[in-house]
Amino acid sequence: MTFGFAPSAAASKPESPTSAELSADSAHRLARMLEPAEWSAAGIPLLRNPRDVVSSLHSRHRPTPLTAIVAVLDPDERLRASASFSRRATVTDGWVFRNALLAQLRRIIPHDLRRRTPVRTAVLLYCRDGDARWTQEDGAWMWGLRDACTLHGLRCGAYITLTRDGWQVLGEGRGGRRPSADSRPELFTGAEPPVARTGGAASDVLRRAAAR
């Protein structure tokens, strides 16, 4: 007499995700993004002079499409720290973007979690292809920026896109034609700039996400 075991139903299932799992994953990603109306209603502080901030970051980091620049401003809107990194993830997910931004913030500036009220503000400039209209990718960056600021004890500031048409502060309707993704960096004439950083842990986070 021979004894044996029939393969279980779980063992016979393919390892690739089912359509239900893919649908649930897509739903989670959609939940991790912010619409422009949600962003506007969140009380994001307005930049007093957004063009100066954009020009300063553009001259320091010289971004090309798929480059993100996260910067920290003091209460007087002076730039205290900034870092740029490339978007390498193949998915548009606010959770992945949050982790990438948080990794950069931890590299460039101490957290303010011990303060009752944040005094420094983080802003994000993202250089991408296309026009200035909101995309789901922008929504995921917005969600990621807001969450990263909460976890690092910062105020969540403006989200700015830089395209070949110029720059645009999403949710505010303010923008300009220069600098743009194609323009040459203008000479920086402000105070001595902080050290600009590139790459690092955030790029590694995005690379790992892309490999999944």
Side-chain angles (χ1 to χ4, degrees):
M1 184 177 293
T2 304
F3 294 92
F5 295 93
S8 68
S12 62
K13 285 184 179 180
E15 292 186 3
S16 58
T18 65
S19 58
E21 289 170 335
L22 290 173
S23 178
D25 185 57
S26 298
H28 290 154
R29 291 179 192 171
L30 287 173
R32 293 191 288 262
M33 65 176 59
L34 295 175
E35 300 276 350
E38 295 176 295
W39 184 254
S40 299
I44 305 299
L46 300 179
L47 290 170
R48 291 194 293 270
N49 197 330
R51 188 183 185 281
D52 281 358
V53 173
V54 174
S55 297
S56 174
L57 295 177
H58 184 260
S59 66
R60 287 188 177 97
H61 294 276
R62 306 189 177 195
T64 56
L66 300 184
T67 299
I69 304 171
V70 62
V72 179
L73 311 178
D74 70 10
D76 295 321
E77 214 167 271
R78 291 190 297 262
L79 184 60
R80 289 307 181 197
S82 64
S84 63
F85 58 96
S86 298
R87 181 213 195 285
R88 299 181 184 274
T90 57
V91 295
T92 297
D93 190 332
W95 182 83
V96 175
F97 294 167
R98 185 277 307 273
N99 289 347
L101 291 168
L102 189 58
Q104 290 290 2
L105 289 171
R106 286 170 174 166
R107 288 177 64 228
I108 63 176
I109 202 160
H111 68 74
D112 278 345
L113 293 172
R114 294 183 180 87
R115 294 181 178 272
R116 291 186 177 181
T117 304
V119 296
R120 295 183 291 194
T121 303
V123 300
L124 176 62
L125 185 148
Y126 182 53
C127 182
R128 61 167 172 78
D129 293 319
D131 56 33
R133 288 176 293 185
W134 179 89
T135 66
Q136 287 190 349
E137 183 184 24
D138 294 325
W141 279 116
M142 289 172 166
W143 189 96
L145 176 63
R146 186 185 65 177
D147 216 43
C149 288
T150 299
L151 293 173
H152 205 62
L154 301 170
R155 298 174 74 198
C156 180
Y159 172 70
I160 307 162
T161 57
L162 187 71
T163 67
R164 290 180 172 83
D165 295 332
W167 58 273
Q168 178 82 13
V169 184
L170 272 92
E172 296 184 19
R174 293 190 292 173
R177 300 185 67 178
R178 292 185 63 85
S180 70
D182 291 333
S183 64
R184 298 181 62 182
E186 299 176 2
L187 180 64
F188 180 77
T189 57
E192 185 66 21
V195 176
R197 299 177 183 267
T198 59
S203 295
D204 295 337
V205 169
L206 293 175
R207 280 196 293 271
R208 288 195 296 270
R212 288 175 186 168

